[in-house]
Each structure stands twice: as C-alpha cells, then as structure tokens.
Amino acid sequence: MQVTTLCLGALVFGEATGYEINKMFEDGPFSHFLDASYGSIYPALTRLTDEGLVTCKAEQQERRPDKKIYALTDRGRQSLSEALHTPLAEDKFRSEFLFAVLFADLLPRSRVVELVDQRLAAMKAKTEELATKDPGDTPGMDFARLYGHAVYSASVSFLENNRHLIEDIAVDDKPQEAPREVHTHV
Amino acid sequence: MQVTTLCLGALVFGEATGYEINKMFEDGPFSHFLDASYGSIYPALTRLTDEGLVTCKAEQQERRPDKKIYALTDRGRQSLSEALHTPLAEDKFRSEFLFAVLFADLLPRSRVVELVDQRLAAMKAKTEELATKDPGDTPGMDFARLYGHAVYSASVSFLENNRHLIEDIAVDDKPQEAPREVHTHV
DNA sequence: GGCGTCTATATAGGGCCGATATATGAGAAT
DNA sequence: ATTCTCATATATCGGCCCTATATAGACGCC
C-alpha cells in the first residue's frame, strides 16, 4: 500500500494540507502504525490531483507560501474503498533492539542494561500515551489505541520479567569501568 | 541501521552466502523483526568486501554459478560492535490492518469480519511458530522468540475479545448479498 | 514428460526516507 | 532588547531499499 492510498485515508477525516497530513503520521492517529514523510507525501498529493482523486484549492496567505488545501473527490473515496477490499499486506515489525539482543553475549553488561532501560522507558511512555481516550477519536481510532495499549503493556511486562535472560549472558564490565572505592563503604 | 550492518550481524553466526543471508531474513532468526532482500543484500556484501569488513572466497561449482562465501573480518566484527554501541532506532510497526480498521464504518461488515479472521489466523500461526524452542538457538534468539510469543499472544487475546468494537460499526451488508430464505427456517 | 521448488547470483526501476532550503511569525529564554 | 527555538508551509535531491525479473541446472512429484 503506497503513500497515495494513505493520503486518501487521511483526507477521509476532512480536507487538509500536506503539512497537516504529515502531522497525522508524526503525532496524529496514524503515528503508531504507519510511516510517511514530506518526501513522499507532497509528490503523492500531486499525483492524486493529476489523477482526479483529490482536489486542490490554493489559499493565499500574506507573507507566507500559499496553503494548498486538498480534499477527496468521489473517485478518490471509491479508490480508497477498492484498496481496502484488496488483500492487505501483513503487519511489519522492525526492531533494532531485538537485533542487538541477538548479540548480547558480545556486549558489556552495562550496555545491555542500558538498552533494556531505554526500551522499557519508551514502551512505558507509549503505553501511557495510549491509555487516555481523546473524545474526538472515531471508534476505529479507539480500537487501534486499545490494541496498541494491549500490545505495549504485554511488551513492558515481558521485558520486566525476562530482562535477566539477556543481561546474564552479557560479558562482565571491565573492572576499571566500575567504581573502585568499595572499601570506603565500611 | 543499514543492511550492511545487518549482514555483519548475520555473519556472526558463521560464514554464509548471500543466498543464505537472505534466508535468515525470510525464514530464519531475523524474520520476525527485520527485513532485507536480494536487492539490498548483494550490493551490501560487495560494499562490505570493498571496505574490508568481510572476506569473500568463491567456491567453484560444476554447472552452477560460483558460490561466494562471505566471512567476518576482525574489522567487521569491530564495526558491528560499534554500531551496537551507538543509539538504536526505535521499533517500527506498520499495519495496514489497523489502517483499514480506521475506516471500518465505510466497509461492509462481511469485509471487516474477513479482515479480523485473516489477521487472527496469521497471528495464531506466528504464536504457534514461536512457541517451539529450537535446540540450536542462542540465548539471544530464545529471548527474541519468547518476546514475540508474548506480544502475539496479547495480540490474539485482544482481537478475540474486542473484535465486536469494529464489527459493530461496519455498515450492514447489502440485503441481496445475504441469504433470503430466513422464513424456511421454521 | 512437465511442473514446481530449491539453490545461487545479479540488476533495473521505481518508491520512499532523511536532510536540506526557503520564509516568517510567535513566544520563550536570557 | 535580543536571540533562539518552535511552528507553519511547500518542495526537492541523494541515496537506500524493495519488488520483480533474468539466468540456469538439479531434484522430486504427479
């Protein structure tokens, strides 16, 4: 599924500029399970306009570049519907963290601990973010949000309960990197 | 993190051909959380050879193209280690299913049910696949496998318990698509 | 015998990300 | 008062990467 189709989906929620569509992928309703950036969104909107799937009206602004407001046409809405009736790609998951974990036995324990701590913090933040319901959300957004919350919660639990599995296979830190003044503790 | 780095990681498990590295991404230990294909792997191996991070010995085969067997050099191993000590990219998750779910209210109920059924079947298959331990797996692979199992299990549970949320907002199927002979039930 | 699958390398085409350029206003920091 | 950062807004370039395809023999299945 290409960025053009994703843009059609974005415009179902109302007319928008390329800038606003980009925000939907960065912060908005798409941010947790889709990706697209300026480099693909602007060309996509041009293509869609050429094909008559969206309309573009330029709004003049003082001392600013014109704002181009895009809106779905009937053909655009139909094109999205067709895309949603053809087989969808499987979910894709990419994790450099799990890649690194495969080589935990080559890393110092402190680095593995750091990686787990970072991942755990990131996942907790996402879990919390997805815990609060926004009244403006559609039922579909609610479902996606709850889905994400369930998955990230499971992720956090797993990491907390099993981090020792990889931390214990990491190599010991070099002595000189650890504090030496243990004897002063007495 | 580029494909070159991923190839270095693949070669930690032993020397391999480009073909075998590709299999690691398709079926093997990387398949659940990384992506790479011929179009990037072969050029990556060429680049790595040029930079002295891997060696390449060609093994002549009768009536076949030469098999090129790649192996890590010390510098290659060090380069991987450096990459694992620089900040890692966040996990990325891409789901056309969740995209479609956002527009459940535009789709016939039968299509939404179909989408959920397909997704559920795919996730159950993955859950089962990750449930069995392979004796050849490293501790890191075990961790990644259990992690995936936990996440997919949570995913299956959520879908089973909450599918009604989106199925109920889908539009009714057109009457002519549904069986008409309800009255014969008596 | 024919068909599909597996082994094995390689490339062309096109899509996409990341970074950058261009302007300017608002608000915060110092 | 001045500087700095952030937000608005469009657009493109370079380079990386995926998809599909080409090539070619072996092997098993029907």
Side-chain angles (χ1 to χ4, degrees):
Chain A
M1 189 171 292
Q2 314 182 193
V3 175
T4 47
T5 311
L6 304 183
C7 287
L8 292 177
L11 292 173
V12 166
F13 298 110
E15 53 178 34
T17 65
Y19 181 79
E20 288 165 341
I21 291 176
N22 182 258
K23 274 200 296 190
M24 295 178 73
F25 289 97
E26 273 191 353
D27 307 336
F30 295 163
S31 60
H32 297 289
F33 51 86
L34 290 175
D35 263 297
S37 50
Y38 288 135
S40 52
I41 291 171
Y42 281 117
L45 289 171
T46 305
R47 238 181 301 158
L48 288 169
T49 308
D50 291 345
E51 293 168 11
L53 303 182
V54 306
T55 58
C56 171
K57 65 176 173 200
E59 191 174 277
Q60 275 191 327
Q61 297 196 123
E62 293 168 20
R63 306 162 195 270
R64 293 233 181 170
D66 283 3
K67 199 194 273 190
K68 291 187 180 175
I69 301 170
Y70 294 91
L72 266 188
T73 64
D74 284 345
R75 282 187 51 217
R77 191 175 297 267
Q78 203 193 328
S79 172
L80 174 63
S81 175
E82 278 164 26
L84 296 177
H85 278 87
T86 56
L88 304 181
E90 282 206 8
D91 291 2
K92 261 181 206 167
F93 174 61
R94 184 184 172 94
S95 176
E96 296 191 357
F97 169 70
L98 287 179
F99 175 72
V101 160
L102 292 188
F103 309 106
D105 54 335
L106 303 179
L107 296 173
R109 185 184 168 95
S110 59
R111 176 58 175 157
V112 176
V113 169
E114 182 186 38
L115 286 174
V116 176
D117 282 342
Q118 285 173 358
R119 200 66 15 180
L120 212 37
M123 300 236 157
K124 281 181 178 170
K126 288 208 170 190
T127 307
E128 209 164 326
E129 194 187 334
L130 293 172
T132 56
K133 179 184 165 103
D134 186 324
D137 285 352
T138 65
M141 289 181 197
D142 263 349
F143 180 87
R145 183 177 57 76
L146 292 171
Y147 188 104
H149 187 267
V151 169
Y152 283 122
S153 296
S155 207
V156 168
S157 297
F158 180 86
L159 278 178
E160 284 177 341
N161 295 328
N162 296 280
R163 56 185 300 169
H164 64 91
L165 291 177
I166 45 171
E167 286 170 353
D168 291 349
I169 60 170
V171 301
D172 280 343
D173 288 294
K174 291 171 194 149
Q176 64 267 28
E177 286 178 6
R180 286 281 182 82
E181 299 83 0
V182 181
H183 61 280
T184 65
H185 193 276
V186 181
Chain B
M1 188 171 292
Q2 314 181 195
V3 175
T4 45
T5 310
L6 303 184
C7 287
L8 292 178
L11 292 173
V12 166
F13 299 108
E15 55 178 31
T17 65
Y19 181 79
E20 288 165 342
I21 291 176
N22 181 258
K23 275 200 296 189
M24 294 178 74
F25 289 97
E26 273 192 353
D27 307 336
F30 294 164
S31 61
H32 298 290
F33 51 86
L34 289 176
D35 261 298
S37 50
Y38 289 135
S40 51
I41 292 170
Y42 281 116
L45 290 171
T46 306
R47 237 182 301 158
L48 289 169
T49 308
D50 291 345
E51 292 167 11
L53 302 182
V54 306
T55 58
C56 170
K57 66 174 173 200
E59 189 172 279
Q60 275 192 327
Q61 298 196 121
E62 292 168 20
R63 305 161 194 270
R64 294 234 181 170
D66 283 3
K67 200 194 272 191
K68 291 187 180 175
I69 301 170
Y70 294 91
L72 267 187
T73 65
D74 283 346
R75 282 187 50 218
R77 192 175 297 267
Q78 203 194 328
S79 171
L80 174 64
S81 175
E82 278 163 25
L84 296 177
H85 278 87
T86 56
L88 304 182
E90 282 206 9
D91 291 2
K92 259 180 204 166
F93 174 62
R94 183 185 173 94
S95 175
E96 297 192 356
F97 169 70
L98 287 179
F99 175 72
V101 159
L102 293 188
F103 310 107
D105 54 335
L106 303 180
L107 296 174
R109 186 184 167 95
S110 59
R111 176 58 175 157
V112 176
V113 169
E114 183 186 37
L115 286 174
V116 176
D117 283 343
Q118 284 172 359
R119 200 65 17 182
L120 212 37
M123 300 238 157
K124 281 181 179 171
K126 287 208 170 187
T127 308
E128 209 164 326
E129 193 187 335
L130 294 171
T132 55
K133 179 184 166 103
D134 186 324
D137 285 352
T138 66
M141 290 183 199
D142 263 350
F143 181 87
R145 184 177 56 77
L146 292 172
Y147 189 103
H149 187 266
V151 169
Y152 283 122
S153 296
S155 207
V156 168
S157 297
F158 180 86
L159 278 178
E160 283 176 342
N161 295 327
N162 297 280
R163 56 185 300 171
H164 65 90
L165 291 178
I166 44 170
E167 286 169 352
D168 290 350
I169 61 168
V171 300
D172 280 342
D173 289 293
K174 290 171 193 146
Q176 63 268 27
E177 285 177 7
R180 286 281 181 82
E181 300 81 0
V182 181
H183 60 282
T184 66
H185 194 275
V186 180

